[in-house]
Amino acid sequence: MIDKQLRVVLAEDSVILRDGMVELLTARGCLVVATAGTGPELVAAVTEHRPDVAVVDIRMPPTHTDEGIRAAVQLRGSFPEVGILVFSQHVERAWAARLLADGAAGIGYLLKERVARTSEFVEALHRVAEGGTALDPEIVNGLLHGGRRGPVDTLTAREREVLELMAQGRSNRSIAAQLTVSERAVEKHVAAVFTKFGLPATEADNRRVKAVLAYLSESTGI
C-alpha cells in the first residue's frame, strides 16, 4: 500500500488529457498542485511549488517537438530533488539519452499507453519521486538495441534480462515473479551484474541505480 500523498505538477497541452490525468491522479491519492500547457509554464510551476514529481509530455507547444524534454532537462539541473517522469507517444531514443545524461536516479520515461494502466503509472510516480528509476520496457529495449559494445556485452542472457527489469524499476521479488525463478536466483544474477560493472558494496551508494546508469550509458553512448 502506498501511503504518501505525492505532490505533482502536470504538464500536458491537451486540455482533455490533462483534465483526465488530474482526475486519475486525484482518485489515486495524489495532489496535483499545478498544471501547465507549455515548457515555460512547467518551469514556473515547479519553481513555485517544488513538487515531489513533475509529469511531462515530451511534445509541447509551440512546435510540438522537444519543448517538454528541454524543460525537463532544465528542471533536472535546477531542481535535482524533484522527480521527473516524461511520457511520449513513441520511443524517442535520443531524447531519453538527453534526459538520462546526468543520471538515472529520480527519472521515469513511459509511453502514453502505460498511463492507462493506472496502478502501474502511480507506482512509477512514487518510485521516481523517491529517487528510483521507471523506464518503459519499450524504452529499455530501444536503448539496448541501439547502442555500442561495452561491459553490457559481458553479461549472460539471464543477467541482461535481470538488468533490463532493474532498469524498469522492478524489485528482486517482482523480477523473480516475471522470470518465474526464485528470489535467491535473482539475487545471484544481480550480484553478478554488480561485479561485472565494477560496483563494490558500500553503505552509501545505491548500486542498483548505478548499475542501471552504467547500462544506459553503454546503450546510449552518453
Side-chain angles (χ1 to χ4, degrees):
M1 177 70 70
I2 298 173
D3 297 319
K4 178 184 176 182
Q5 184 182 46
L6 285 186
R7 299 176 70 255
V8 180
V9 165
L10 172 63
E12 163 60 55
D13 65 294
S14 167
V15 175
I16 294 176
L17 181 56
R18 186 168 67 227
D19 288 350
M21 291 182 68
V22 169
E23 185 176 340
L24 179 157
L25 291 170
T26 302
R28 287 285 175 159
C30 298
L31 176 63
V32 180
V33 295
T35 61
T38 67
E41 288 177 3
L42 166 63
V43 172
V46 170
T47 300
E48 178 181 353
H49 296 281
R50 304 295 177 88
D52 298 307
V53 61
V55 181
V56 185
D57 186 3
I58 281 182
R59 298 176 182 269
M60 300 185 73
T63 69
H64 293 279
T65 54
D66 65 347
E67 282 84 358
I69 200 74
R70 285 194 283 109
V73 170
Q74 180 181 341
L75 291 173
R76 180 75 164 160
S78 301
F79 307 105
E81 73 282 4
V82 176
I84 301 290
L85 190 149
V86 301
F87 60 103
S88 176
Q89 195 71 38
H90 309 287
V91 176
E92 307 283 3
R93 182 173 169 270
W95 292 339
R98 194 191 312 180
L99 182 64
L100 293 161
D102 292 325
I107 291 293
Y109 191 140
L110 300 179
L111 294 183
K112 282 192 175 181
E113 63 188 46
R114 202 75 52 183
V115 175
R117 304 175 189 179
T118 309
S119 296
E120 197 173 313
F121 176 53
V122 174
E123 285 174 8
L125 276 181
H126 278 269
R127 204 155 57 233
V128 168
E130 292 165 4
T133 304
L135 301 179
D136 196 286
E138 289 192 36
I139 301 294
V140 173
N141 186 61
L143 292 173
L144 176 64
H145 295 292
R148 59 186 179 182
R149 293 185 61 81
V152 169
D153 297 287
T154 68
L155 303 180
T156 66
R158 180 60 86 184
E159 289 164 359
R160 186 174 292 215
E161 285 181 308
V162 168
L163 184 53
E164 287 185 34
L165 292 170
M166 285 170 59
Q168 294 170 27
R170 304 287 190 100
S171 65
N172 284 358
R173 178 175 296 181
S174 175
I175 293 171
Q178 177 75 20
L179 299 179
T180 320
V181 298
S182 70
E183 196 168 343
R184 179 59 182 158
V186 172
E187 290 172 359
K188 289 181 178 179
H189 291 310
V190 170
V193 170
F194 290 157
T195 298
K196 291 180 179 180
F197 276 88
L199 297 172
T202 68
E203 292 183 2
D205 292 337
N206 184 334
R207 288 193 295 169
R208 291 180 81 89
V209 171
K210 285 193 170 185
V212 169
L213 178 56
Y215 159 62
L216 293 172
S217 295
E218 287 292 335
S219 299
T220 60
I222 57 180

